[in-house]
């Protein structure tokens, strides 16, 4: 079994991404490398939103003896690389698919939990005084074709009644009048609540809040080996060892296949890449009639997502087939630049100043995975947010904290999420069949709309 699933370049924990977020984030002090033999009640593997939220809520609400082990610096992974969309979601299933699969009552409860997740982030930002450059008030999906416009219209009819969703339909003319000009904007679905933020500053603010409550955060403390020793778990790092009564595995897309047998084949990392332009002038913004701070995605199966940042830069992202090797990474950036030019032709020659990529995590059920390992009820996990981890990972970390603190699954955890995460069939070939699925999706986007 290989140590990691993607190209080794994706796991250079001592190197920060050359991202806009790394260049502009607030600093964090108070973390330290694990450099001796220590012990605690709860050890959390992963210092992103999930792990830090679990640590924060365990320390704040239960006065727990908790430590976080992060392989890089705090926010090294997806929590410091994402686009900063704090919005409703967490599943790769549409609202209609969740309704068909689980029925209206369970689907509504799950949907409402994703709204609660956004509200939780809002509460943490306010209560902990985290200035994460919040922007906008909605996530907006643009229909890339007439057929996609029909789908969005149907969702705007069905979802408010079935799920209690706060959605509204916009025509192409209304998009042009209130948002911007965009080549692929046949209609739009406005979905609230939702907003943009600085994801790395939020991550570090969450870490700072956990530290203030008594949690200990060990940065640059990659776990190399995980073994049992009686009633203890032994987590060996490069420079020390942590013994814990309970472990939370919170690594998401950067999860290691080899650390614990249970997790082999239960996740699929997918590359998502982002480019950021130089600041756009008022005249350049007016050329595309831009007048919004909301967050956006396209309805394509192989989607793009974008938002205007507080300093006038355009952030533009999307999925790719890259496994993290330099040649494929460069190809993904070229594709992003071409997509930006296609959607916003007046900006085709705008210079790109930042480029970076990271991993989105999928589960076999296409839903977040939250639970305990069968036969090892002292091992907890939360992962697989399908590109929507700002809110969903924060909320999932709190569910794990409440599970540990109360000794039983929290009532806030919907039945939809309580099933085992499952394992991908022929798990060793996950990457190959994902590439095939991506090729089919691109064909569908092009020819079926």
């Amino acid at each position: 079994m290989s140590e990691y699933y993607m190209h080794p370049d994706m796991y250079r924990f001592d190197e920060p991404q050359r991202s806009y977020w790394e260049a502009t984030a607030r600093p964090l002090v108070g973390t330290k490398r694990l450099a001796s033999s220590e012990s605690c009640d709860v050890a959390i593997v992963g210092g992103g939103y999930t792990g830090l939220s679990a640590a924060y809520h365990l320390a704040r609400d239960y006065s727990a003896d908790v430590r976080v082990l992060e392989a890089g610096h705090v926010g090294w992974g997806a929590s410091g690389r994402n686009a900063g969309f704090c919005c409703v979601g967490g599943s790769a299933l549409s609202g209609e698919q969740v309704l068909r699969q689980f029925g209206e009552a369970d689907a509504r409860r799950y949907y409402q939990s994703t709204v609660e997740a956004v509200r939780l982030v809002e509460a943490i930002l306010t209560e902990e005084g985290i200035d994460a450059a919040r922007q906008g008030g909605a996530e907006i999906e643009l229909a890339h074709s007439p057929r996609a416009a029909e789908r969005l219209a149907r969702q705007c009819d069905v979802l408010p009644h079935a799920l209690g969703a706060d959605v509204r339909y916009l025509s192409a003319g209304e998009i042009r009048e209130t948002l911007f000009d965009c080549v692929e904007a046949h209609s739009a679905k406005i979905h609230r609540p939702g907003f943009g933020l600085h994801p790395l500053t939020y991550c570090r603010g969450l870490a700072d809040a956990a530290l203030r409550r008594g949690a200990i955060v060990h940065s640059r403390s990659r776990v190399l080996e995980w073994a049992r020793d009686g009633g203890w778990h032994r987590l060996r790092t490069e420079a020390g060892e942590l013994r814990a009564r309970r472990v939370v595995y919170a690594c998401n897309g950067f999860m290691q296949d080899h650390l614990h047998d249970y997790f082999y084949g239960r996740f699929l990392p997918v590359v998502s890449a982002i480019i950021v332009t130089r600041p756009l002038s008022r005249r350049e913004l007016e050329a595309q009639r831009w007048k919004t701070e909301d967050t956006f995605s396209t309805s394509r199966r192989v989607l793009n997502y974008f938002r205007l940042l507080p300093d006038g830069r355009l952030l533009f992202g999307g999925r790719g087939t890259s496994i993290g090797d330099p040649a494929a990474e460069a190809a993904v950036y070229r594709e992003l630049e071409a997509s930006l030019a296609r959607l916003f032709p007046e900006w085709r020659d705008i210079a790109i100043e930042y480029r970076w990529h990271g991993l989105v995590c999928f589960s076999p059920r296409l839903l977040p995975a939250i639970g305990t390992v069968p036969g090892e009820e002292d091992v907890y996990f939360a992962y697989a947010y399908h590109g929507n981890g700002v809110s969903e990972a924060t909320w999932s970390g709190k569910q794990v904290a409440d599970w540990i603190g109360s000794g039983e699954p929290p009532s806030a955890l919907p039945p939809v999420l309580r099933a085992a995460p499952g394992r991908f069939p022929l798990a060793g070939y996950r990457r190959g069949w994902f590439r095939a699925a991506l090729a089919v999706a691109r064909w569908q986007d092009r020819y079926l709309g």
Side-chain angles (χ1 to χ4, degrees), residues 211-371:
L211 290 164
R212 288 199 304 271
R213 296 308 193 284
I216 296 174
V217 179
H218 295 290
S219 57
R220 306 192 185 280
S221 299
R222 173 189 170 199
V223 177
L224 302 176
E225 183 181 16
W226 179 355
R228 275 215 177 255
D229 183 8
W232 293 88
H233 295 271
R234 290 175 47 251
L235 301 171
R236 183 177 64 83
T237 69
E238 294 167 317
E241 181 178 274
L242 184 62
R243 299 170 71 243
R245 292 294 187 185
R246 288 172 281 193
V247 175
V248 178
Y249 201 33
C251 297
N252 205 41
F254 290 92
M255 191 179 295
Q256 302 174 51
D257 258 337
H258 76 286
L259 270 186
H260 194 294
D261 289 343
Y262 177 77
F263 297 103
Y264 175 73
R266 298 184 188 273
F267 70 102
L268 174 65
V270 175
V271 168
S272 196
I274 291 174
I275 57 177
V276 171
T277 70
R278 63 157 172 79
L280 300 169
S281 69
R282 182 184 298 274
R283 180 174 295 180
E284 287 167 334
L285 291 171
E286 289 174 350
Q288 289 289 168
R289 299 172 62 93
W290 192 286
K291 53 182 79 71
T292 177
E293 290 190 333
D294 288 325
T295 62
F296 294 86
S297 63
T298 67
S299 63
R300 287 179 175 270
R301 296 162 184 85
V302 186
L303 59 76
N304 289 113
Y305 50 88
F306 52 91
R307 53 183 284 229
L308 193 70
L309 300 178
D311 63 358
R313 300 173 187 270
L314 185 75
L315 177 152
F316 192 90
R319 305 284 187 260
T321 57
S322 167
I323 62 170
D325 59 297
E329 179 185 5
V332 169
Y333 296 143
R334 289 194 298 271
E335 183 176 347
L336 284 180
E337 292 180 34
S339 295
L340 190 160
R342 185 183 74 250
L343 267 63
F344 300 105
E346 294 295 330
W347 296 342
R348 65 171 62 87
D349 297 321
I350 299 296
I352 305 300
E353 293 193 346
Y354 295 93
R355 298 172 177 84
W356 72 93
H357 65 168
L359 295 176
V360 173
C361 187
F362 283 65
S363 77
R365 298 177 66 233
L366 302 181
L367 289 161
I370 306 171

Side-chain angles (χ1 to χ4, degrees), residues 100 110 171 208 216 271 293-294 296 404 408 419 441:
R100 287 195 298 269
Y110 167 63
S171 68
D208 189 53
I216 296 174
V271 168
E293 290 190 333
D294 288 325
F296 294 86
I404 293 172
E408 58 185 12

Side-chain angles (χ1 to χ4, degrees), residues 22-85:
E22 290 283 356
T24 58
R26 52 153 289 181
L28 173 67
V29 297
T31 67
K32 58 183 179 180
R33 192 182 194 197
L34 181 65
S36 60
S37 180
E38 306 283 349
S39 64
C40 64
D41 181 31
V42 183
I44 298 173
V45 183
Y49 300 136
T50 305
L52 293 172
S53 177
Y56 168 71
H57 288 99
L58 279 166
R60 188 193 71 174
D61 299 337
Y62 302 100
S63 300
D65 174 19
V66 57
R67 295 182 183 231
V68 177
L69 297 173
E70 165 58 42
H73 62 272
V74 169
W76 175 89
S79 296
R81 306 187 191 197
N82 67 84
F85 286 37

